[in-house]
PDB file of all heavy atoms in Angstrom:
ATOM      1  N   LYS A 587      14.844   6.658   0.880  1.00 62.00           N
ATOM      2  CA  LYS A 587      14.078   7.908   0.818  1.00 62.00           C
ATOM      3  C   LYS A 587      12.861   7.803   1.692  1.00 62.00           C
ATOM      4  O   LYS A 587      12.244   6.737   1.846  1.00 62.00           O
ATOM      5  CB  LYS A 587      13.692   8.200  -0.607  1.00 62.00           C
ATOM      6  CG  LYS A 587      14.847   8.540  -1.499  1.00 62.00           C
ATOM      7  CD  LYS A 587      14.399   8.968  -2.873  1.00 62.00           C
ATOM      8  CE  LYS A 587      15.543   9.244  -3.773  1.00 62.00           C
ATOM      9  NZ  LYS A 587      15.146   9.705  -5.080  1.00 62.00           N
ATOM     10  N   SER A 588      12.439   8.909   2.232  1.00 63.00           N
ATOM     11  CA  SER A 588      11.232   8.923   3.057  1.00 63.00           C
ATOM     12  C   SER A 588       9.993   8.594   2.188  1.00 63.00           C
ATOM     13  O   SER A 588       9.833   9.085   1.070  1.00 63.00           O
ATOM     14  CB  SER A 588      11.033  10.306   3.675  1.00 63.00           C
ATOM     15  OG  SER A 588       9.805  10.325   4.359  1.00 63.00           O
ATOM     16  N   GLU A 589       9.176   7.708   2.697  1.00 76.00           N
ATOM     17  CA  GLU A 589       7.958   7.332   2.024  1.00 76.00           C
ATOM     18  C   GLU A 589       6.771   8.148   2.495  1.00 76.00           C
ATOM     19  O   GLU A 589       5.649   7.916   2.093  1.00 76.00           O
ATOM     20  CB  GLU A 589       7.708   5.852   2.206  1.00 76.00           C
ATOM     21  CG  GLU A 589       8.776   4.985   1.569  1.00 76.00           C
ATOM     22  CD  GLU A 589       8.550   3.507   1.843  1.00 76.00           C
ATOM     23  OE1 GLU A 589       7.578   3.134   2.507  1.00 76.00           O
ATOM     24  OE2 GLU A 589       9.387   2.694   1.365  1.00 76.00           O
ATOM     25  N   MET A 590       7.050   9.097   3.436  1.00 75.00           N
ATOM     26  CA  MET A 590       5.959   9.858   4.032  1.00 75.00           C
ATOM     27  C   MET A 590       6.347  11.349   3.972  1.00 75.00           C
ATOM     28  O   MET A 590       7.490  11.712   4.271  1.00 75.00           O
ATOM     29  CB  MET A 590       5.770   9.446   5.464  1.00 75.00           C
ATOM     30  CG  MET A 590       4.560  10.054   6.130  1.00 75.00           C
ATOM     31  SD  MET A 590       4.382   9.457   7.840  1.00 75.00           S
ATOM     32  CE  MET A 590       4.058   7.721   7.614  1.00 75.00           C
ATOM     33  N   THR A 591       5.414  12.221   3.554  1.00 82.00           N
ATOM     34  CA  THR A 591       5.634  13.637   3.564  1.00 82.00           C
ATOM     35  C   THR A 591       4.680  14.290   4.568  1.00 82.00           C
ATOM     36  O   THR A 591       3.548  13.889   4.711  1.00 82.00           O
ATOM     37  CB  THR A 591       5.435  14.233   2.147  1.00 82.00           C
ATOM     38  OG1 THR A 591       4.091  14.003   1.755  1.00 82.00           O
ATOM     39  CG2 THR A 591       6.398  13.662   1.179  1.00 82.00           C
ATOM     40  N   SER A 592       5.193  15.354   5.200  1.00 83.00           N
ATOM     41  CA  SER A 592       4.411  16.094   6.168  1.00 83.00           C
ATOM     42  C   SER A 592       3.627  17.195   5.468  1.00 83.00           C
ATOM     43  O   SER A 592       4.150  17.868   4.609  1.00 83.00           O
ATOM     44  CB  SER A 592       5.311  16.705   7.249  1.00 83.00           C
ATOM     45  OG  SER A 592       4.510  17.476   8.117  1.00 83.00           O
ATOM     46  N   GLU A 593       2.381  17.327   5.867  1.00 86.00           N
ATOM     47  CA  GLU A 593       1.544  18.389   5.262  1.00 86.00           C
ATOM     48  C   GLU A 593       1.134  19.394   6.336  1.00 86.00           C
ATOM     49  O   GLU A 593       0.161  20.118   6.167  1.00 86.00           O
ATOM     50  CB  GLU A 593       0.317  17.758   4.588  1.00 86.00           C
ATOM     51  CG  GLU A 593       0.753  16.865   3.428  1.00 86.00           C
ATOM     52  CD  GLU A 593      -0.447  16.221   2.728  1.00 86.00           C
ATOM     53  OE1 GLU A 593      -1.620  16.398   3.152  1.00 86.00           O
ATOM     54  OE2 GLU A 593      -0.214  15.533   1.750  1.00 86.00           O
ATOM     55  N   GLY A 594       1.850  19.417   7.449  1.00 90.00           N
ATOM     56  CA  GLY A 594       1.562  20.391   8.494  1.00 90.00           C
ATOM     57  C   GLY A 594       1.136  19.776   9.802  1.00 90.00           C
ATOM     58  O   GLY A 594       0.844  18.585   9.871  1.00 90.00           O
ATOM     59  N   CYS A 595       1.131  20.604  10.863  1.00 93.00           N
ATOM     60  CA  CYS A 595       0.760  20.170  12.177  1.00 93.00           C
ATOM     61  C   CYS A 595      -0.235  21.144  12.776  1.00 93.00           C
ATOM     62  O   CYS A 595      -0.209  22.316  12.477  1.00 93.00           O
ATOM     63  CB  CYS A 595       2.015  20.147  13.106  1.00 93.00           C
ATOM     64  SG  CYS A 595       3.320  19.089  12.507  1.00 93.00           S
ATOM     65  N   ASP A 596      -1.116  20.638  13.648  1.00 95.00           N
ATOM     66  CA  ASP A 596      -2.040  21.487  14.403  1.00 95.00           C
ATOM     67  C   ASP A 596      -2.467  20.784  15.663  1.00 95.00           C
ATOM     68  O   ASP A 596      -1.939  19.740  16.040  1.00 95.00           O
ATOM     69  CB  ASP A 596      -3.232  21.890  13.513  1.00 95.00           C
ATOM     70  CG  ASP A 596      -4.077  20.737  13.012  1.00 95.00           C
ATOM     71  OD1 ASP A 596      -3.936  19.579  13.554  1.00 95.00           O
ATOM     72  OD2 ASP A 596      -4.900  20.935  12.113  1.00 95.00           O
ATOM     73  N   ASN A 597      -3.473  21.404  16.339  1.00 95.00           N
ATOM     74  CA  ASN A 597      -4.008  20.866  17.619  1.00 95.00           C
ATOM     75  C   ASN A 597      -2.873  20.682  18.661  1.00 95.00           C
ATOM     76  O   ASN A 597      -2.767  19.658  19.296  1.00 95.00           O
ATOM     77  CB  ASN A 597      -4.729  19.555  17.424  1.00 95.00           C
ATOM     78  CG  ASN A 597      -5.961  19.712  16.530  1.00 95.00           C
ATOM     79  OD1 ASN A 597      -6.599  20.739  16.538  1.00 95.00           O
ATOM     80  ND2 ASN A 597      -6.287  18.682  15.768  1.00 95.00           N
ATOM     81  N   TRP A 598      -2.104  21.718  18.812  1.00 97.00           N
ATOM     82  CA  TRP A 598      -0.979  21.696  19.765  1.00 97.00           C
ATOM     83  C   TRP A 598      -1.463  21.840  21.193  1.00 97.00           C
ATOM     84  O   TRP A 598      -2.328  22.638  21.506  1.00 97.00           O
ATOM     85  CB  TRP A 598       0.010  22.843  19.485  1.00 97.00           C
ATOM     86  CG  TRP A 598       0.822  22.636  18.265  1.00 97.00           C
ATOM     87  CD1 TRP A 598       0.488  22.881  16.969  1.00 97.00           C
ATOM     88  CD2 TRP A 598       2.167  22.167  18.233  1.00 97.00           C
ATOM     89  NE1 TRP A 598       1.510  22.587  16.144  1.00 97.00           N
ATOM     90  CE2 TRP A 598       2.574  22.114  16.872  1.00 97.00           C
ATOM     91  CE3 TRP A 598       3.048  21.715  19.216  1.00 97.00           C
ATOM     92  CZ2 TRP A 598       3.831  21.680  16.487  1.00 97.00           C
ATOM     93  CZ3 TRP A 598       4.318  21.302  18.800  1.00 97.00           C
ATOM     94  CH2 TRP A 598       4.678  21.311  17.458  1.00 97.00           C
TER      95      TRP A 598
END
Side-chain angles (χ1 to χ4, degrees):
K587 293 185 180 181
S588 175
E589 296 177 0
M590 187 179 295
T591 59
S592 176
E593 297 180 357
C595 302
D596 61 15
N597 296 329
W598 286 83

